[in-house]
Amino acid sequence: MAELKIAGELYKVEPLPAGEAIELYADLMRVATQATGRVPAILMALASRENGAPDAMADVAALAGLGDILRSTSSSDIKSLINRIVTCASVKRPSGYAEVNLDEEFTGNLAAILPVAKFVLEVNYADFFTASVGGGLLNNLRSVLASAR
């Protein structure tokens, strides 16, 4: 169990049961991998950013990747996936913790959606990303970029 204060609210996340975590990860990857063609540009732009270059290229590459995802995935599927992620968290209320409700919690507070989703994903997948084949691939890409400097 982990707790984190985001936008003035205290959120708690318990690890998902393994089966649910695998299903959510698979669905998340189905959406996210629609932008894999943009990954080299994003990585190169991020490497340039570390060398003091303007952020514009990273921003453009990320926006193009997001566009790829949105062209291939319906709005209701995106909403459903985000809802599945954020409802894995609970928010502290005077009466105790309550499951996050997308509309109740984030109407008028849209900026808090991604930090809460990120918190849920970190709690559930941090070790998976570093220990998995994908994590190894990402570490190898980072090493290649670092050695290219």
Side-chain angles (χ1 to χ4, degrees), residues 1-4 10-18 20-21 24 84-91 97-100 116-127:
M1 189 266 305
E3 292 180 321
L4 182 65
L10 187 61
Y11 293 91
K12 175 177 82 169
V13 175
E14 302 273 352
L16 290 168
E20 287 180 45
L24 180 57
R84 282 178 59 200
I85 294 167
V86 299
T87 57
C88 293
S90 299
V91 62
Y97 279 96
E99 183 179 287
V100 168
V116 171
K118 180 179 180 233
F119 178 46
V120 168
L121 296 174
E122 286 172 344
V123 167
N124 282 283
Y125 302 108
D127 61 340

Side-chain angles (χ1 to χ4, degrees), residues 22-124:
I22 291 168
E23 287 175 347
L24 180 57
Y25 178 77
D27 290 341
L28 185 60
M29 288 300 100
R30 245 187 296 287
V31 171
T33 56
Q34 294 174 42
T36 54
R38 306 290 181 173
V39 170
I42 293 169
L43 290 174
M44 302 240 332
L46 290 173
S48 296
R49 177 185 291 174
E50 290 175 4
N51 294 329
D55 293 347
M57 290 307 294
D59 293 344
V60 168
L63 184 61
L66 183 59
D68 290 348
I69 290 169
L70 293 176
R71 271 190 299 283
S72 305
T73 309
S74 73
S75 299
S76 61
D77 286 345
I78 295 290
K79 177 188 164 200
S80 176
L81 183 59
I82 290 171
N83 188 61
R84 282 178 59 200
I85 294 167
V86 299
T87 57
C88 293
S90 299
V91 62
K92 180 100 181 207
R93 299 287 182 230
S95 60
Y97 279 96
E99 183 179 287
V100 168
N101 176 293
L102 183 67
D103 288 331
E104 289 175 17
E105 189 65 32
F106 302 111
T107 296
N109 190 20
L110 295 176
I113 293 173
L114 290 181
V116 171
K118 180 179 180 233
F119 178 46
V120 168
L121 296 174
E122 286 172 344
V123 167
N124 282 283

